[in-house]
Amino acid sequence: MKIREAESKFSKETKYVYYNAQLNFTFQPQLILSTICFEDSWDIIIKKMNIVARFIDLYIVSRVTNYSKIEYIQLKIISLM
């Protein structure tokens, strides 16, 4: 629920998550959740969310600048490799 909130409402603390959501990158919550452990504190969760969101941003920019698609199916295929 916190990820969805960060995607829909701008907060300086989770701004990268918000920016990716505004680009309609719907695969983001799964990638973020894959890094979070149950024992993590809120500060660690925020750091992990921002690291993943920054990586996603770099990935999107690199794909767009190379005229590659950023649709779900292409990302799913890449994540399986």
Side-chain angles (χ1 to χ4, degrees):
M1 291 184 347
K2 293 288 187 179
I3 295 171
R4 292 291 182 203
E5 181 181 323
E7 287 181 328
S8 62
K9 188 168 72 171
F10 180 80
S11 169
K12 191 171 185 175
E13 171 176 71
T14 56
K15 62 186 173 187
Y16 303 108
V17 178
Y18 177 80
Y19 296 149
N20 291 335
Q22 298 309 304
L23 294 172
N24 293 321
F25 187 77
T26 59
F27 201 48
Q28 180 173 234
Q30 292 93 330
L31 294 173
I32 291 172
L33 285 173
S34 70
T35 65
I36 296 173
C37 297
F38 182 74
E39 297 85 19
D40 289 342
S41 67
W42 181 244
D43 291 337
I44 298 297
I45 291 172
I46 294 296
K47 287 179 183 178
K48 287 181 177 183
M49 286 173 64
N50 285 324
I51 289 170
V52 172
R54 284 177 155 179
F55 171 78
I56 291 168
D57 182 53
L58 289 172
Y59 183 75
I60 290 171
V61 168
S62 68
R63 299 231 0 130
V64 169
T65 56
N66 289 314
Y67 304 102
S68 300
K69 295 180 180 180
I70 56 169
E71 297 171 353
Y72 177 77
I73 191 68
Q74 281 82 21
L75 297 175
K76 186 176 179 184
I77 291 169
I78 289 169
S79 68
L80 294 175
M81 293 181 169

